[in-house]
Coordinates of all heavy atoms in Angstrom, one line a residue:
M1 N -13.9 40.4 20.6 CA -14.9 39.5 19.8 C -15.0 38.2 20.6 O -14.0 37.5 20.9 CB -14.4 39.3 18.4 CG -15.5 39.3 17.4 SD -14.9 39.2 15.7 CE -14.7 37.4 15.6
S2 N -16.2 37.7 20.8 CA -16.4 36.5 21.5 C -16.9 35.4 20.6 O -17.8 35.7 19.8 CB -17.3 36.6 22.7 OG -18.6 37.0 22.3
E3 N -16.3 34.2 20.7 CA -16.8 33.2 19.8 C -17.9 32.4 20.5 O -17.9 32.4 21.8 CB -15.7 32.3 19.4 CG -15.0 31.5 20.5 CD -14.0 30.5 20.0 OE1 -14.1 30.1 18.8 OE2 -13.1 30.2 20.7
P4 N -18.7 31.7 19.8 CA -19.8 30.9 20.5 C -19.2 29.8 21.3 O -18.2 29.2 21.0 CB -20.6 30.4 19.3 CG -20.0 30.9 18.1 CD -18.7 31.6 18.4
I5 N -19.8 29.6 22.5 CA -19.4 28.5 23.3 C -20.3 27.3 23.1 O -21.5 27.4 22.9 CB -19.6 28.9 24.8 CG1 -18.8 30.2 25.1 CG2 -19.2 27.8 25.8 CD1 -17.3 30.0 24.9
R6 N -19.6 26.2 22.9 CA -20.3 24.9 22.6 C -19.9 23.8 23.7 O -18.9 24.0 24.3 CB -20.0 24.4 21.2 CG -20.5 25.3 20.1 CD -22.0 25.3 20.0 NE -22.4 26.2 18.9 CZ -22.9 27.4 19.0 NH1 -23.0 27.9 20.2 NH2 -23.3 28.0 18.0
S7 N -20.7 22.8 23.8 CA -20.5 21.7 24.7 C -20.0 20.5 24.0 O -20.6 20.2 23.0 CB -21.7 21.4 25.6 OG -22.1 22.5 26.3
C8 N -19.1 19.8 24.5 CA -18.6 18.5 24.0 C -19.7 17.5 24.3 O -20.2 17.4 25.4 CB -17.3 18.1 24.6 SG -16.8 16.4 24.3
V9 N -20.1 16.7 23.3 CA -21.2 15.7 23.5 C -20.6 14.5 24.2 O -21.3 13.6 24.6 CB -21.9 15.3 22.2 CG1 -22.7 16.5 21.7 CG2 -20.9 14.8 21.2
G10 N -19.2 14.4 24.3 CA -18.6 13.3 25.0 C -18.5 13.5 26.5 O -19.0 12.7 27.3
C11 N -17.9 14.6 26.9 CA -17.7 14.8 28.3 C -18.4 16.0 28.9 O -18.5 16.2 30.1 CB -16.2 15.1 28.5 SG -15.6 16.7 27.8
G12 N -19.1 16.8 28.0 CA -19.9 17.9 28.5 C -19.1 19.2 28.8 O -19.7 20.2 29.1
R13 N -17.8 19.2 28.5 CA -17.0 20.3 28.7 C -17.4 21.5 27.8 O -17.7 21.2 26.6 CB -15.5 20.0 28.5 CG -14.6 21.1 28.8 CD -13.1 20.6 28.6 NE -12.7 20.5 27.3 CZ -12.1 21.4 26.6 NH1 -11.7 22.6 27.2 NH2 -11.7 21.2 25.3
K14 N -17.5 22.7 28.3 CA -17.8 23.8 27.4 C -16.5 24.5 27.0 O -15.6 24.7 27.7 CB -18.7 24.8 28.2 CG -20.1 24.3 28.4 CD -20.9 25.4 29.1 CE -22.4 25.0 29.0 NZ -22.7 23.7 29.6
A15 N -16.5 24.8 25.7 CA -15.3 25.5 25.2 C -15.7 26.3 23.9 O -16.8 26.2 23.4 CB -14.3 24.4 24.7
G16 N -14.8 27.2 23.5 CA -15.0 28.0 22.3 C -15.1 27.0 21.1 O -14.4 26.0 21.0
Q17 N -16.0 27.4 20.2 CA -16.2 26.6 19.0 C -14.9 26.2 18.3 O -14.8 25.1 17.8 CB -17.1 27.4 18.1 CG -17.9 26.5 17.1 CD -18.9 27.3 16.3 OE1 -19.3 28.4 16.8 NE2 -19.3 26.8 15.2
S18 N -13.9 27.0 18.3 CA -12.7 26.7 17.5 C -11.9 25.7 18.2 O -11.0 25.1 17.6 CB -11.9 28.0 17.3 OG -11.5 28.5 18.5
E19 N -12.1 25.4 19.5 CA -11.4 24.4 20.2 C -11.9 23.0 20.0 O -11.4 22.0 20.3 CB -11.5 24.7 21.7 CG -10.4 25.5 22.3 CD -10.5 25.5 23.8 OE1 -10.5 24.4 24.4 OE2 -10.8 26.6 24.4
L20 N -13.1 23.0 19.4 CA -13.8 21.7 19.3 C -14.0 21.3 17.9 O -13.8 22.1 16.9 CB -15.3 21.9 19.9 CG -15.3 22.4 21.3 CD1 -16.8 22.7 21.7 CD2 -14.8 21.3 22.3
L21 N -14.2 20.0 17.7 CA -14.5 19.5 16.3 C -16.0 19.5 16.1 O -16.8 19.1 17.0 CB -14.0 18.1 16.2 CG -12.4 17.9 16.1 CD1 -12.1 16.4 16.0 CD2 -11.8 18.7 14.9
R22 N -16.5 19.9 15.0 CA -17.9 19.9 14.7 C -18.3 18.8 13.7 O -17.6 18.5 12.8 CB -18.2 21.3 14.1 CG -19.7 21.5 13.8 CD -20.0 22.9 13.4 NE -21.4 23.2 13.3 CZ -22.1 23.1 12.1 NH1 -21.5 22.8 11.0 NH2 -23.4 23.3 12.1
F23 N -19.5 18.3 14.0 CA -20.0 17.3 13.1 C -21.4 17.6 12.8 O -22.2 18.2 13.6 CB -20.0 15.9 13.8 CG -18.6 15.4 14.2 CD1 -18.0 15.7 15.4 CD2 -17.9 14.6 13.2 CE1 -16.7 15.2 15.7 CE2 -16.6 14.2 13.5 CZ -16.0 14.5 14.7
V24 N -21.8 17.2 11.6 CA -23.2 17.3 11.2 C -23.7 16.0 10.6 O -22.9 15.1 10.3 CB -23.4 18.5 10.1 CG1 -23.0 19.8 10.7 CG2 -22.5 18.1 8.9
A25 N -25.0 15.9 10.4 CA -25.5 14.7 9.8 C -25.8 14.9 8.3 O -26.4 16.0 8.0 CB -26.8 14.3 10.5
K26 N -25.3 14.1 7.5 CA -25.5 14.2 6.0 C -26.1 12.9 5.5 O -25.4 11.9 5.6 CB -24.2 14.6 5.4 CG -24.3 15.5 4.2 CD -23.0 16.0 3.7 CE -23.0 17.6 3.8 NZ -21.7 18.1 3.4
D27 N -27.3 12.9 5.1 CA -28.0 11.7 4.6 C -27.8 10.6 5.6 O -27.6 9.4 5.3 CB -27.4 11.3 3.3 CG -27.5 12.3 2.2 OD1 -28.6 13.0 2.2 OD2 -26.6 12.5 1.3
G28 N -28.0 10.9 6.9 CA -28.0 9.8 7.9 C -26.6 9.4 8.4 O -26.4 8.5 9.2
L29 N -25.6 10.0 7.8 CA -24.2 9.7 8.2 C -23.6 10.8 8.9 O -23.8 12.0 8.6 CB -23.4 9.4 6.8 CG -22.1 8.8 7.0 CD1 -22.1 7.4 7.5 CD2 -21.4 8.8 5.6
L30 N -22.8 10.5 9.9 CA -22.1 11.5 10.7 C -20.9 12.0 9.9 O -20.1 11.1 9.5 CB -21.7 11.0 12.0 CG -21.0 12.0 13.0 CD1 -22.1 13.0 13.5 CD2 -20.4 11.3 14.2
V31 N -20.7 13.3 9.6 CA -19.6 13.8 8.9 C -19.0 15.0 9.6 O -19.7 15.7 10.3 CB -19.9 14.2 7.4 CG1 -20.4 13.0 6.6 CG2 -21.0 15.3 7.4
S32 N -17.7 15.2 9.4 CA -17.1 16.3 10.0 C -17.4 17.6 9.1 O -17.4 17.5 7.9 CB -15.6 16.1 10.0 OG -14.9 17.3 10.1
G33 N -17.8 18.6 9.8 CA -18.2 19.8 9.0 C -18.1 21.1 9.8 O -18.8 21.3 10.7
T34 N -17.2 21.9 9.4 CA -17.0 23.1 10.2 C -18.0 24.2 9.7 O -18.3 25.1 10.4 CB -15.6 23.7 10.1 OG1 -15.1 23.6 8.7 CG2 -14.6 22.8 11.0
T35 N -18.3 24.1 8.4 CA -19.1 25.2 7.8 C -20.5 24.8 7.3 O -21.3 25.6 6.9 CB -18.4 25.8 6.6 OG1 -18.1 24.8 5.7 CG2 -17.1 26.5 7.1
D36 N -20.8 23.4 7.4 CA -22.1 23.0 6.9 C -23.1 23.6 7.8 O -23.1 23.7 9.0 CB -22.2 21.4 7.0 CG -21.1 20.8 6.1 OD1 -20.0 20.6 6.6 OD2 -21.5 20.5 5.0
P37 N -24.2 24.0 7.1 CA -25.3 24.6 7.8 C -26.1 23.5 8.7 O -25.9 22.3 8.4 CB -26.2 25.2 6.7 CG -25.9 24.3 5.5 CD -24.5 23.9 5.7
G38 N -26.9 24.0 9.5 CA -27.8 23.1 10.3 C -27.2 22.8 11.6 O -26.2 23.4 12.1
R39 N -27.9 21.8 12.3 CA -27.5 21.5 13.6 C -26.2 20.8 13.7 O -25.9 19.9 12.9 CB -28.6 20.6 14.1 CG -28.5 20.1 15.6 CD -29.8 19.4 16.0 NE -30.9 20.4 16.2 CZ -31.1 21.1 17.3 NH1 -30.2 20.9 18.4 NH2 -32.0 21.9 17.5
G40 N -25.4 21.2 14.6 CA -24.0 20.6 14.7 C -23.9 19.9 16.1 O -24.5 20.3 17.1
A41 N -23.0 19.0 16.2 CA -22.6 18.4 17.4 C -21.1 18.5 17.6 O -20.3 18.5 16.6 CB -22.9 16.9 17.4
Y42 N -20.6 18.8 18.8 CA -19.2 19.1 19.0 C -18.6 18.1 19.9 O -19.2 17.6 20.8 CB -19.1 20.5 19.6 CG -19.6 21.6 18.7 CD1 -21.0 21.8 18.6 CD2 -18.8 22.3 17.8 CE1 -21.5 22.8 17.8 CE2 -19.3 23.2 17.0 CZ -20.6 23.5 16.9 OH -21.2 24.4 16.1
T43 N -17.3 17.9 19.7 CA -16.5 17.2 20.7 C -15.2 17.9 20.9 O -14.7 18.6 20.0 CB -16.1 15.7 20.3 OG1 -15.2 15.7 19.2 CG2 -17.4 14.9 19.8
C44 N -14.5 17.6 22.0 CA -13.2 18.1 22.2 C -12.3 17.4 21.2 O -12.7 16.4 20.6 CB -12.7 17.6 23.6 SG -13.7 18.1 25.0
R45 N -11.1 17.8 21.1 CA -10.1 17.2 20.1 C -9.4 16.0 20.9 O -8.2 15.9 20.9 CB -9.1 18.2 19.7 CG -9.8 19.3 18.9 CD -8.8 20.4 18.4 NE -9.5 21.5 17.7 CZ -9.8 21.5 16.4 NH1 -9.4 20.4 15.7 NH2 -10.4 22.5 15.9
R46 N -10.3 15.2 21.4 CA -9.7 14.0 22.1 C -10.5 12.8 21.7 O -11.8 12.8 21.7 CB -9.9 14.1 23.6 CG -9.0 15.3 24.2 CD -9.0 15.1 25.7 NE -10.3 15.0 26.3 CZ -10.6 14.4 27.4 NH1 -9.6 13.9 28.1 NH2 -11.8 14.3 27.9
L47 N -9.8 11.7 21.3 CA -10.5 10.5 20.8 C -11.5 10.0 21.9 O -12.5 9.5 21.6 CB -9.5 9.5 20.3 CG -10.1 8.2 19.7 CD1 -10.9 8.6 18.5 CD2 -8.9 7.3 19.3
A48 N -11.0 10.1 23.1 CA -11.9 9.6 24.2 C -13.2 10.2 24.2 O -14.2 9.5 24.5 CB -11.2 9.8 25.5
C49 N -13.3 11.5 23.9 CA -14.6 12.1 23.9 C -15.5 11.6 22.7 O -16.7 11.4 22.8 CB -14.4 13.6 23.8 SG -13.8 14.3 25.3
F50 N -14.8 11.4 21.6 CA -15.6 10.9 20.4 C -16.1 9.5 20.8 O -17.3 9.2 20.5 CB -14.6 10.8 19.2 CG -15.2 10.3 18.0 CD1 -16.1 11.0 17.2 CD2 -15.0 8.9 17.6 CE1 -16.7 10.5 16.0 CE2 -15.6 8.4 16.5 CZ -16.4 9.2 15.7
E51 N -15.3 8.7 21.3 CA -15.7 7.3 21.6 C -16.8 7.3 22.6 O -17.7 6.5 22.5 CB -14.5 6.5 21.9 CG -13.6 6.3 20.8 CD -12.4 5.3 21.0 OE1 -11.9 5.3 22.1 OE2 -12.0 4.7 20.0
R52 N -16.7 8.1 23.6 CA -17.7 8.2 24.6 C -19.0 8.7 24.0 O -20.1 8.1 24.3 CB -17.2 9.2 25.7 CG -18.0 9.1 26.9 CD -17.2 9.8 28.0 NE -18.0 10.0 29.2 CZ -17.7 10.8 30.2 NH1 -16.5 11.5 30.1 NH2 -18.4 10.9 31.2
A53 N -18.9 9.7 23.1 CA -20.1 10.2 22.5 C -20.8 9.1 21.6 O -22.0 8.9 21.6 CB -19.8 11.4 21.6
V54 N -20.0 8.3 20.9 CA -20.5 7.2 20.1 C -21.2 6.2 21.0 O -22.4 5.7 20.8 CB -19.4 6.5 19.3 CG1 -20.0 5.3 18.6 CG2 -18.9 7.5 18.2
S55 N -20.5 5.8 22.1 CA -21.1 4.7 22.9 C -22.3 5.1 23.7 O -23.2 4.3 23.9 CB -20.1 4.2 23.9 OG -19.8 5.1 24.9
R56 N -22.5 6.4 23.9 CA -23.7 7.0 24.6 C -24.7 7.4 23.6 O -25.7 8.0 24.0 CB -23.3 8.1 25.4 CG -22.4 7.8 26.6 CD -21.8 9.1 27.1 NE -21.9 9.1 28.6 CZ -21.9 10.2 29.3 NH1 -21.7 11.4 28.6 NH2 -21.9 10.2 30.6
R57 N -24.5 7.2 22.3 CA -25.4 7.7 21.2 C -25.7 9.2 21.4 O -26.7 9.7 21.1 CB -26.7 7.0 21.2 CG -26.5 5.5 21.1 CD -27.8 4.7 21.0 NE -27.6 3.3 21.1 CZ -27.2 2.5 20.2 NH1 -26.9 3.0 19.0 NH2 -27.0 1.2 20.4
A58 N -24.7 9.9 21.8 CA -24.8 11.3 22.1 C -25.0 12.2 20.8 O -25.6 13.2 20.7 CB -23.7 11.9 22.9
F59 N -24.4 11.6 19.7 CA -24.5 12.3 18.5 C -26.0 12.3 18.0 O -26.5 13.3 17.5 CB -23.6 11.7 17.4 CG -22.2 12.0 17.6 CD1 -21.3 11.0 17.8 CD2 -21.7 13.3 17.4 CE1 -19.9 11.3 18.0 CE2 -20.3 13.6 17.6 CZ -19.5 12.6 17.9
N60 N -26.6 11.2 18.2 CA -28.0 11.0 17.8 C -28.9 12.1 18.6 O -29.7 12.7 18.0 CB -28.6 9.6 18.2 CG -28.0 8.6 17.3 OD1 -27.2 8.9 16.4 ND2 -28.2 7.3 17.6
R61 N -28.6 12.2 19.9 CA -29.4 13.2 20.7 C -29.1 14.6 20.2 O -30.0 15.4 20.1 CB -29.0 13.0 22.2 CG -29.8 12.0 22.9 CD -29.8 12.2 24.4 NE -28.4 12.3 24.9 CZ -27.7 11.2 25.2 NH1 -28.2 10.0 25.0 NH2 -26.5 11.3 25.7
A62 N -27.8 14.9 20.0 CA -27.5 16.3 19.7 C -28.0 16.7 18.3 O -28.4 17.8 18.1 CB -25.9 16.4 19.7
L63 N -28.0 15.7 17.4 CA -28.4 16.0 16.0 C -29.9 15.7 15.8 O -30.4 15.9 14.7 CB -27.6 15.2 15.0 CG -26.0 15.6 15.1 CD1 -25.2 14.6 14.3 CD2 -25.8 17.0 14.6
R64 N -30.5 15.1 16.8 CA -32.0 14.8 16.7 C -32.3 13.9 15.6 O -33.3 14.0 15.0 CB -32.8 16.1 16.6 CG -32.5 17.2 17.6 CD -33.6 17.4 18.5 NE -33.2 18.2 19.6 CZ -33.5 19.5 19.7 NH1 -34.2 20.1 18.8 NH2 -33.1 20.2 20.8
Q65 N -31.4 13.0 15.3 CA -31.7 11.9 14.4 C -30.7 10.8 14.6 O -29.7 11.0 15.3 CB -31.6 12.4 13.0 CG -30.3 13.0 12.6 CD -30.2 13.5 11.1 OE1 -30.2 12.7 10.2 NE2 -30.3 14.8 11.0
T66 N -31.0 9.6 14.0 CA -30.1 8.5 14.1 C -29.0 8.6 13.0 O -29.4 8.7 11.9 CB -30.8 7.2 13.9 OG1 -31.8 7.1 15.0 CG2 -29.9 6.0 14.1
V67 N -27.8 8.7 13.4 CA -26.7 8.8 12.5 C -25.8 7.6 12.5 O -25.6 7.0 13.6 CB -25.9 10.1 12.7 CG1 -26.6 11.3 12.3 CG2 -25.3 10.2 14.1
R68 N -25.3 7.2 11.4 CA -24.3 6.2 11.3 C -22.9 6.8 11.5 O -22.7 7.9 11.0 CB -24.3 5.4 10.0 CG -25.6 4.6 9.7 CD -25.5 3.7 8.5 NE -24.9 4.4 7.3 CZ -25.6 5.2 6.5 NH1 -26.8 5.5 6.7 NH2 -25.0 5.7 5.4
V69 N -22.1 6.1 12.3 CA -20.8 6.6 12.6 C -19.7 5.8 11.9 O -19.6 4.6 12.1 CB -20.5 6.7 14.1 CG1 -19.1 7.1 14.4 CG2 -21.6 7.5 14.8
D70 N -19.0 6.5 11.0 CA -17.9 5.8 10.3 C -16.7 5.8 11.1 O -16.3 6.9 11.6 CB -17.7 6.6 9.0 CG -16.7 5.9 8.0 OD1 -15.9 5.1 8.5 OD2 -16.7 6.1 6.8
Q71 N -16.1 4.7 11.4 CA -15.0 4.6 12.3 C -13.8 5.4 11.7 O -12.8 5.7 12.4 CB -14.6 3.1 12.5 CG -15.4 2.4 13.6 CD -15.3 3.2 14.9 OE1 -14.2 3.5 15.4 NE2 -16.5 3.4 15.5
K72 N -13.8 5.7 10.4 CA -12.7 6.5 9.9 C -12.7 7.9 10.5 O -11.6 8.6 10.4 CB -12.9 6.7 8.3 CG -12.6 5.4 7.6 CD -12.6 5.8 6.1 CE -12.7 4.5 5.2 NZ -14.0 4.6 4.4
L73 N -13.8 8.3 11.1 CA -13.8 9.6 11.7 C -12.7 9.7 12.8 O -12.3 10.8 13.2 CB -15.2 10.0 12.3 CG -16.2 10.2 11.2 CD1 -17.6 10.3 11.9 CD2 -15.9 11.5 10.4
T74 N -12.3 8.6 13.4 CA -11.4 8.6 14.5 C -10.1 9.2 14.0 O -9.3 9.7 14.8 CB -11.2 7.2 15.0 OG1 -10.7 6.3 14.0 CG2 -12.4 6.6 15.7
S75 N -9.8 9.1 12.7 CA -8.5 9.6 12.2 C -8.4 11.2 12.4 O -7.4 11.7 12.3 CB -8.3 9.3 10.7 OG -9.3 9.9 9.9
L76 N -9.6 11.8 12.6 CA -9.6 13.2 12.8 C -8.8 13.6 14.1 O -8.5 14.7 14.4 CB -11.0 13.8 12.9 CG -11.8 13.7 11.7 CD1 -13.3 14.0 12.0 CD2 -11.3 14.7 10.7
Y77 N -8.7 12.6 15.0 CA -8.2 12.9 16.3 C -6.7 12.5 16.5 O -6.2 12.6 17.6 CB -9.0 12.1 17.4 CG -10.5 12.6 17.4 CD1 -11.4 12.1 16.6 CD2 -10.9 13.6 18.3 CE1 -12.7 12.5 16.6 CE2 -12.1 14.0 18.4 CZ -13.1 13.5 17.5 OH -14.4 13.9 17.5
T78 N -6.1 12.0 15.4 CA -4.7 11.6 15.6 C -3.8 12.7 15.2 O -4.1 13.7 14.5 CB -4.4 10.4 14.7 OG1 -4.7 10.7 13.4 CG2 -5.2 9.2 15.2
Ligands
ZN1 ZN1 -14.9 16.3 25.7

């Protein structure tokens, strides 16, 4: 069985979905969501990738909308 391959929006690395953290946009806010329907954005499980994605507005591109990023999301990486 093969799992879907996704790209990290921070560094561009491709990996199996289960290796990555998934985010979705909910009411304009970036939230962590492994099962939420709709378009998702992925990062490696490394804070550096998250921060890089934020600084490059990569989440906005991946999710095709402007999302607010709550800094509390960084706790997902510790
Ligand atoms: Zn990455």
Side-chain angles (χ1 to χ4, degrees):
M1 219 175 84
S2 65
E3 66 174 333
I5 301 298
R6 297 289 183 256
S7 299
C8 168
V9 294
C11 69
R13 186 173 76 95
K14 288 186 167 55
Q17 201 169 341
S18 61
E19 266 188 62
L20 303 171
L21 290 177
R22 181 173 186 265
F23 296 91
V24 296
K26 216 168 235 176
D27 300 325
L29 189 67
L30 187 71
V31 296
S32 159
T34 46
T35 57
D36 296 86
R39 184 170 285 277
Y42 298 82
T43 72
C44 307
R45 295 177 183 276
R46 294 193 308 154
L47 186 57
C49 288
F50 177 79
E51 291 184 329
R52 196 163 165 195
V54 170
S55 71
R56 296 164 132 200
R57 303 183 193 284
F59 287 115
N60 293 355
R61 273 202 303 280
L63 298 170
R64 308 247 169 102
Q65 60 181 285
T66 302
V67 289
R68 295 191 312 280
V69 177
D70 188 335
Q71 279 302 312
K72 287 192 199 114
L73 289 173
T74 57
S75 66
L76 294 168
Y77 295 87
T78 56

